[in-house]
Amino acid sequence: MRIGELAKQAGCDVETVRYYERDGLLAKPEREISGYRNYNTLHLADLQFVRHCRSLGMKLAEIKVLMNFRSSPDGDCAGVNALLDVQIVRVEEQMAAMSLLKEQLIALRNKCEHRRTNKECGIMQSLNYAVQVRKCPCHR
Amino acid sequence: MRIGELAKQAGCDVETVRYYERDGLLAKPEREISGYRNYNTLHLADLQFVRHCRSLGMKLAEIKVLMNFRSSPDGDCAGVNALLDVQIVRVEEQMAAMSLLKEQLIALRNKCEHRRTNKECGIMQSLNYAVQVRKCPCHR
DNA sequence: GCACACCCTGTAGCCGCTACAGGGTCAAGT
DNA sequence: ACTTGACCCTGTAGCGGCTACAGGGTGTGC
């Protein structure tokens, strides 16, 4: 199949496929005489693997590591587990940060009693000062 | 004061200050004969305002809007409120997405019973397929 | 007169794409 | 045989918000 079909099946953009190839994430496919890239179902499986990893928020460098694990099927999968743990920790950290952020934004939003001028606005006034930060409100 | 002192007081990098100036977020300061930028406390207040907004996750374009509100102090602050609401919605959306992500990652993590080979690893096998998505687990 | 901290401009890099420009190829229709 | 239009190619630039140089100039203290 050609690149358009491949991209469609994987639910991504043609440009993205070429980007992955350039980045060394996907193997370079054979070319037709015309120069067109020609893919088979193994290429598709690889691309889908990458897209699934991406949808889980993994970085391309991390996906490369997983691809390497994949190409040594008899190796110990401890590395896979460790990589997943990194993802989970990262997401948890981001969630904690967002939680704090939301709290700050809502506190700020409540500073304004409607229909004031900009200079009287409690929000605008507060933005002149650093946000009061409690020590990690999400973990108590 | 010179740029190094300004950056230090605002808790950011010198390069960041110059970047903000180039981006039109901060006014261009006077120059000394040497060509060095010379700042006063008003510049510092502006920079701190920007940094506080950034720490709340606002985009530079949004901060520009707030700066404009700031320079028309007698205007109606409804726009400020609306902008804050946009921030809050954005953070809530991101938190919902992260929550879903975390759930998916943990489900995936549980697919591997320790000390297998890569090809037997439940995680690696699952990554060949799309993640099962429940309809927004964070809102019920 | 020298060292060293600081400042300047301009450019390139990070990430994961996205969006062109400027061209070639192919298949169907007339 | 010719045209249309969908697809493909390479290469480059842009997004956001910085960060990190290179290659130079300036200021200050000893």
Side-chain angles (χ1 to χ4, degrees):
Chain A
M1 91 195 84
R2 305 223 262 238
I3 198 170
E5 178 66 15
L6 182 87
K8 194 175 155 194
Q9 298 234 13
C12 72
D13 205 294
V14 165
E15 317 272 13
T16 303
V17 178
R18 286 197 281 249
Y19 174 76
Y20 288 163
E21 181 184 323
R22 250 193 340 273
D23 197 48
L25 204 51
L26 296 179
K28 300 195 177 197
E30 300 292 307
R31 298 286 185 133
E32 297 174 11
I33 314 102
S34 58
Y36 290 6
R37 289 172 180 79
N38 204 292
Y39 298 96
N40 57 36
T41 51
L42 293 179
H43 290 111
L44 178 58
D46 279 358
L47 178 55
Q48 282 171 334
F49 182 90
V50 172
R51 295 305 293 170
H52 297 152
C53 291
R54 282 294 297 136
S55 77
L56 291 169
M58 292 182 197
K59 298 179 181 190
L60 296 189
E62 292 166 336
I63 300 173
K64 269 184 211 173
V65 172
L66 284 183
M67 299 285 272
N68 284 340
F69 288 145
R70 220 155 79 106
S71 59
S72 54
D74 293 322
D76 183 349
C77 76
V80 177
N81 285 267
L83 206 147
L84 254 285
D85 288 339
V86 168
Q87 309 306 308
I88 291 168
V89 167
R90 183 159 61 209
V91 168
E92 283 172 348
E93 284 172 356
Q94 286 177 3
M95 284 179 71
M98 297 251 96
S99 172
L100 176 51
L101 202 52
K102 182 184 167 186
E103 197 178 290
Q104 291 171 346
L105 283 169
I106 285 174
L108 189 57
R109 181 65 178 82
N110 290 335
K111 290 254 168 86
C112 178
E113 305 151 31
H114 252 297
R115 297 283 140 187
R116 290 178 167 274
T117 59
N118 287 325
K119 72 166 174 256
E120 293 164 337
C121 177
I123 296 174
M124 289 303 273
Q125 288 173 10
S126 300
L127 283 172
N128 290 313
Y129 303 97
V131 176
Q132 302 295 339
V133 184
R134 289 200 287 118
K135 288 266 165 57
C136 197
C138 22
H139 282 126
R140 47 149 304 120
Chain B
M1 96 196 81
R2 305 225 263 238
I3 198 168
E5 178 65 17
L6 183 85
K8 194 174 156 197
Q9 298 235 12
C12 71
D13 206 293
V14 164
E15 317 272 13
T16 303
V17 177
R18 286 197 281 248
Y19 174 76
Y20 288 164
E21 181 184 324
R22 250 194 338 273
D23 197 48
L25 203 52
L26 296 179
K28 299 196 179 196
E30 299 292 307
R31 299 287 185 132
E32 295 174 12
I33 313 101
S34 58
Y36 289 7
R37 289 171 180 81
N38 204 292
Y39 298 96
N40 57 36
T41 51
L42 292 179
H43 290 112
L44 177 58
D46 278 359
L47 177 55
Q48 282 172 334
F49 183 89
V50 172
R51 294 306 294 170
H52 297 152
C53 291
R54 282 292 300 137
S55 77
L56 292 168
M58 293 182 199
K59 299 179 178 188
L60 297 190
E62 292 166 336
I63 299 172
K64 271 184 209 173
V65 172
L66 284 183
M67 299 285 271
N68 284 340
F69 288 144
R70 220 153 80 106
S71 58
S72 53
D74 293 322
D76 182 349
C77 76
V80 177
N81 285 266
L83 207 149
L84 254 285
D85 287 338
V86 167
Q87 309 305 308
I88 291 168
V89 167
R90 183 160 61 209
V91 168
E92 282 171 350
E93 284 172 357
Q94 286 177 2
M95 283 179 71
M98 297 251 96
S99 173
L100 176 52
L101 202 53
K102 181 183 168 185
E103 196 178 288
Q104 291 170 347
L105 283 168
I106 286 174
L108 188 58
R109 181 65 178 81
N110 290 334
K111 290 256 168 85
C112 178
E113 304 152 33
H114 252 295
R115 295 284 139 188
R116 291 179 164 275
T117 59
N118 286 325
K119 72 166 176 258
E120 292 164 339
C121 176
I123 296 173
M124 288 303 272
Q125 287 172 9
S126 301
L127 282 172
N128 290 314
Y129 303 97
V131 176
Q132 302 296 337
V133 185
R134 288 202 287 116
K135 288 265 166 58
C136 196
C138 21
H139 283 126
R140 46 147 306 113

